[in-house]
Amino acid sequence: MAGQREIAKEQILYLLINLREEEAKRDVYKDIVVNKEACKEIGIFNYKVKGTKTSEERVSTLFLISETQDGEKVNLIYDEKGRFLAWESFEKNGKRKTDLEVASDVELNKELLKTQIALQEEKERNGSAATSTSAGSEKSGEGRNLPQEQKEEEKQEKSQEDDLKRDGKEENKEKLPNLKNEINMDHRAKIPLDQIINGYALWQILQLEEKLSTRLPEGMDEAAFRTGYLSIVDSKELQAKDGKERKSEDTFIVSTYSGDIVELDDQILQPMELGGIEQRKQQELNRQRYEDGEEAEKPDAEFDTIRTSLYKIPDANSRFAVAENWFLSVDWNRDHKEHGQTTADNVTKNISFVQVSRNESYYGSEEQPTHTLEYKLDPIRENTPKSKQEIEKEQELRENKPDETLVERKDHMQELVDKCFAKYEKLGDYYNRGEIGKKVRQYHNQGMDDEEVIEQIGEDAKVAEEVEHEFHIHGRNRHD
């Protein structure tokens, strides 16, 4: 059933594109063309819908639909349920024509959203590894260009680093071992560290480069984690290896694309006490949690708690100029815990990004989130990184004869596309050849062989059919 399957964000994007194309055909006043290649997911964002539970705050992955209207570029912003949030337009020469305009029933931070769109565009232009300063050029929530202030901050940070080194304190930071050969990454939720949340990449929010500096084994570079993954491991598994007791049931780790792994210890993330069973039940009843674009149902009075760990991200409020504290949480997949259901990749625990107003962050003498706004972070879908052969081929492509290699690869990709359309008769109902070509390249880059790629395309077609069915059934509620 579709309700048991997580809907991939790309499926929602394709559906939004198709819906917008249908609307464009019915518009008799403008010549509208949807630019499919420029449509994209732009990351997780907070906003409010006016008139609903006193303007209740929501959090969703946002999507940008790019189109031309009478030859001029227009960007439309939607959430996961198809709600229209904002738009911006540009003249034919590319110059901005209108500022970002927000829908009348929506309240959001325009400057921060513009920053997030710009960050996503820079990420696409330069590659994930080159996005280090885009969001840093504007203060989150303020939208002010701060080149001079940034220079002063960098100068001050450099001075502080020099002071630490002079005091010998830098040497006291415990080195983090490479757990590459100690941890099996199969069946773990892997969250891309370049995931954008409220105008910042996750690796920036975690301040990885600053906090891993001088703590990594020789040969490892903290910048490599920009394109890596955030995941969790059972703390007992780590304790069995090194004898160190952890304060929480789950321990966060980060891995690079090449497979290096380090633990995020309490110098990077602060473990939080979950409290007693009644306190934990109350917290789960109070939290406002979003999963796959929908607000999760509140549990019944009698239920087993699903949260297993909670970590605070230090200094988020001052670092990112927000009136909140930010956390990462770990929860059992409720369907798995209560009904024994499993996901396609056998991931049984979810990772969420948690936001708490600083006025609601205290419980007695211990800092405890009460009323929280939470969003389940989506793990990558594939289970395997690029193969060694694929990585070597890419390196060869950069250094030797890219044209010859690309032509050879393009011909093979086209052959796979043809096989997919020949095998799945209804594939053309949901995808065009260009979209399937992108998917074929993506799966091939993940290390899948030809047969696995074709099989995965068949699975995607099934999901697309289910998603379309669900939207047709519930489409009348997609603006609720």
Side-chain angles (χ1 to χ4, degrees):
M1 294 175 61
Q4 296 174 334
R5 184 196 299 268
E6 292 184 355
I7 300 176
K9 294 298 181 285
E10 65 176 11
Q11 299 294 340
I12 297 175
L13 177 60
Y14 290 143
L15 184 62
L16 289 171
I17 291 172
N18 292 336
L19 291 173
R20 186 56 191 154
E21 285 182 322
E22 292 175 6
E23 292 171 355
K25 291 176 183 177
R26 295 193 295 268
D27 195 313
V28 296
Y29 300 103
K30 294 181 180 179
D31 178 21
I32 300 176
V33 178
V34 178
N35 307 315
K36 292 184 178 181
E37 296 299 320
C39 298
K40 61 196 139 201
E41 172 191 339
I42 58 174
I44 298 168
F45 201 82
N46 290 5
Y47 59 96
K48 292 182 179 180
V49 178
K50 299 175 183 177
T52 57
K53 297 181 182 179
T54 61
S55 299
E56 178 183 273
E57 188 166 15
R58 300 186 182 184
V59 58
S60 173
T61 295
L62 302 191
F63 299 88
L64 182 149
I65 303 300
S66 175
E67 58 189 44
T68 54
Q69 298 183 5
D70 295 334
E72 295 182 339
K73 178 183 174 183
V74 176
N75 291 332
L76 308 174
I77 311 299
Y78 294 88
D79 69 6
E80 291 177 77
K81 297 185 70 176
R83 175 182 288 276
F84 172 68
L85 300 183
W87 66 283
E88 58 184 354
S89 64
F90 303 83
E91 297 177 357
K92 292 180 180 180
N93 60 9
K95 183 179 179 181
R96 179 177 288 275
K97 182 178 180 180
T98 64
D99 194 12
L100 187 76
E101 298 291 336
V102 180
S104 59
D105 62 342
V106 171
E107 180 182 338
L108 56 74
N109 187 317
K110 291 192 346 181
E111 296 302 327
L112 186 57
L113 180 55
K114 286 163 64 176
T115 298
Q116 181 141 333
I117 294 170
L119 177 61
Q120 180 64 37
E121 290 175 346
E122 181 177 340
K123 175 182 168 184
E124 290 183 343
R125 284 196 305 269
N126 302 333
S128 297
T131 63
S132 59
T133 61
S134 173
S137 66
E138 293 185 287
K139 281 282 189 180
S140 173
E142 297 178 359
R144 294 183 291 109
N145 224 357
L146 299 175
Q148 187 58 41
E149 289 184 38
Q150 193 173 1
K151 290 179 182 179
E152 292 298 325
E153 289 175 1
E154 291 174 354
K155 182 177 179 181
Q156 183 177 357
E157 288 176 1
K158 181 65 168 60
S159 176
Q160 290 173 345
E161 289 175 4
D162 291 341
D163 290 342
L164 284 174
K165 290 177 181 179
R166 279 194 297 269
D167 295 342
K169 294 179 181 178
E170 198 71 39
E171 299 176 0
N172 294 330
K173 286 189 176 181
E174 183 181 358
K175 293 286 186 178
L176 296 169
N178 189 347
L179 303 175
K180 182 175 184 177
N181 299 318
E182 302 292 329
I183 295 176
N184 184 349
M185 292 299 292
D186 292 342
H187 308 311
R188 299 187 190 277
K190 295 196 297 182
I191 310 300
L193 284 165
D194 60 4
Q195 163 75 68
I196 302 172
I197 305 174
N198 290 336
Y200 286 88
L202 183 53
W203 63 265
Q204 291 175 306
I205 291 173
L206 296 175
Q207 305 161 53
L208 289 184
E209 294 194 9
E210 172 189 338
K211 295 187 176 183
L212 292 179
S213 177
T214 74
R215 299 193 64 198
L216 295 177
E218 186 175 351
M220 286 182 62
D221 180 4
E222 57 268 20
F225 290 99
R226 295 182 186 179
T227 54
Y229 307 102
L230 173 74
S231 190
I232 53 172
V233 62
D234 189 324
S235 295
K236 291 181 179 178
E237 181 180 339
L238 292 177
Q239 183 177 345
K241 296 178 185 299
D242 59 21
K244 297 179 182 178
E245 184 177 356
R246 274 74 177 177
K247 296 179 181 179
S248 297
E249 180 175 324
D250 311 277
T251 296
F252 278 95
I253 56 175
V254 289
S255 61
T256 66
Y257 196 79
S258 60
D260 293 320
I261 303 171
V262 295
E263 174 185 352
L264 299 186
D265 62 9
D266 55 12
Q267 294 186 37
I268 303 171
L269 285 174
Q270 297 174 357
M272 304 290 295
E273 293 289 341
L274 295 180
I277 186 65
E278 292 303 321
Q279 183 177 338
R280 293 171 65 179
K281 285 183 178 182
Q282 192 61 39
Q283 289 172 2
E284 294 200 19
L285 286 169
N286 287 339
R287 61 182 180 168
Q288 184 182 344
R289 178 178 172 80
Y290 288 85
E291 298 183 4
D292 304 315
E294 300 284 347
E295 185 172 0
E297 294 182 3
K298 299 292 185 183
D300 296 329
E302 296 296 329
F303 70 99
D304 291 327
T305 57
I306 60 172
R307 173 154 292 166
T308 57
S309 298
L310 182 69
Y311 286 82
K312 184 180 179 182
I313 302 172
D315 306 321
N317 57 309
S318 58
R319 187 88 174 188
F320 303 106
V322 293
E324 300 173 327
N325 287 321
W326 290 349
F327 303 79
L328 291 175
S329 75
V330 182
D331 298 84
W332 284 108
N333 180 303
R334 190 175 291 280
D335 286 338
H336 169 75
K337 184 168 185 179
E338 295 182 357
H339 309 295
Q341 296 178 5
T342 58
T343 60
D345 48 10
N346 290 322
V347 171
T348 57
K349 286 187 175 183
N350 300 320
I351 297 172
S352 296
F353 183 75
V354 180
Q355 303 168 78
V356 188
S357 168
R358 295 190 69 196
N359 295 327
E360 298 180 348
S361 297
Y362 294 88
Y363 189 97
S365 59
E366 290 291 329
E367 189 172 7
Q368 289 281 357
T370 52
H371 299 282
T372 66
L373 182 64
E374 308 180 12
Y375 188 90
K376 188 193 79 174
L377 301 178
D378 290 326
I380 58 171
R381 299 290 169 175
E382 71 273 12
N383 292 322
T384 56
K386 290 184 181 180
S387 65
K388 179 181 179 181
Q389 292 78 8
E390 194 75 16
I391 294 173
E392 291 175 347
K393 193 68 173 180
E394 287 183 354
Q395 188 64 30
E396 178 186 348
L397 186 149
R398 295 188 188 98
E399 297 176 353
N400 298 321
K401 301 177 180 179
D403 292 340
E404 179 181 338
T405 305
L406 285 172
V407 170
E408 178 181 313
R409 184 179 179 87
K410 182 178 179 181
D411 290 342
H412 181 60
M413 294 298 103
Q414 187 59 52
E415 181 183 351
L416 282 179
V417 171
D418 292 339
K419 288 182 178 180
C420 289
F421 277 94
K423 184 170 182 177
Y424 306 111
E425 295 180 357
K426 294 186 177 181
L427 189 60
D429 293 345
Y430 309 104
Y431 302 103
N432 60 38
R433 300 186 70 84
E435 291 165 345
I436 292 300
K438 289 175 65 177
K439 283 177 161 290
V440 165
R441 288 191 296 273
Q442 174 190 346
Y443 294 139
H444 208 277
N445 286 342
Q446 293 168 8
M448 294 185 185
D449 61 31
D450 292 357
E451 291 302 316
E452 289 174 328
V453 168
I454 294 172
E455 182 178 351
Q456 184 61 50
I457 294 296
E459 288 295 314
D460 289 353
K462 291 179 183 178
V463 173
E465 183 177 5
E466 293 173 354
V467 171
E468 184 177 74
H469 178 67
E470 289 291 306
F471 265 81
H472 278 305
I473 291 176
H474 304 293
R476 61 182 181 275
N477 297 322
R478 69 187 181 93
H479 295 299
D480 291 344

